[in-house]
Amino acid sequence: MPDYIIVLTLCAALLHASWNTLLRGGSDRLWSMTIMCVAIALVCALSTLFLPLPARASWKYALLSALLHVGYNLCLVRSYQSGDLGQTYPIARGSSPLLVTCAAALFAGEHIAFTTLCGIVLVSAGIVSLALRGGKLALPGLRYTLATGAFIAAYSVVDGMGVRVAGNAFAYTAWMCSLWGILMPAVYIALRDSKSLLQWRPGVLSAAAGGLVSLLAYGIIIYAMTAAPMGAVSALRETSVLFAAVLGALFLGEALTVRKMLACAVIALGTLMIG
């Protein structure tokens, strides 16, 4: 993996942990997530005016990814209703790299080097171990957290395949995110109502900013997947749990224990093997 891709992916990991910290700290997470998606859709719709249309072969991937992102949003919101950032986030993110690697090998024909595979295993094991309590994955709503990881794996592979046939990574990202940003408000209205979505709230600006940070983070990952294997990029991105552990301690009052520090060391070793 090229050095500049490693740096970009680590920056994306920090950005990803930041907007998840913002979401976890909110009082109405479904509303916050929907506002994030609206902000993403507005920026992406505007950017499509200055970008070429992605190749027709990528359209089906963009639509499927948008649907998968909505499922991811709903499961993530539900996960944060029952678990803290330091436990829920690692399980969701840690379960995805190996799934991405396997799916990429099955559906995209990728061949992963043995050293890279060992690094992915270490990163995944270290991330999941961050969520252990008393030797068990004791988390209410664990099924939603694991479903979040499955959605992450699914949309990562779909986008990795879509961007490679789109002709332009940024055009693909803009169109996919525009579709995603349209679908999420529709789901919110179906679950609740339009009035509460359109009502001004004090947290609307911070939620919108979180959406833009999320867009930037995923745009970087989409670009990285054009120059490096999907599984390696996905695993390196999941080092965001390191940043999440620190941000959770600083802003959400969560403990940063010796066990978490040891798990971080395992993740760092895996990251070096991937790089």
Side-chain angles (χ1 to χ4, degrees), residues 8 14 58 189 197 228 261:
L8 285 175
L14 175 58
S58 69
I189 292 171
L197 176 61
M261 294 174 64

Side-chain angles (χ1 to χ4, degrees), residues 106-148:
L106 288 173
F107 300 110
E110 285 194 354
H111 298 281
I112 307 299
F114 178 74
T115 303
T116 299
L117 182 59
C118 290
I120 292 170
V121 171
L122 283 176
V123 170
S124 297
I127 291 172
V128 172
S129 70
L130 283 173
L132 290 173
R133 289 185 178 178
K136 298 180 180 179
L137 291 174
L139 179 66
L142 179 61
R143 63 184 182 277
Y144 294 106
T145 308
L146 293 176
T148 302

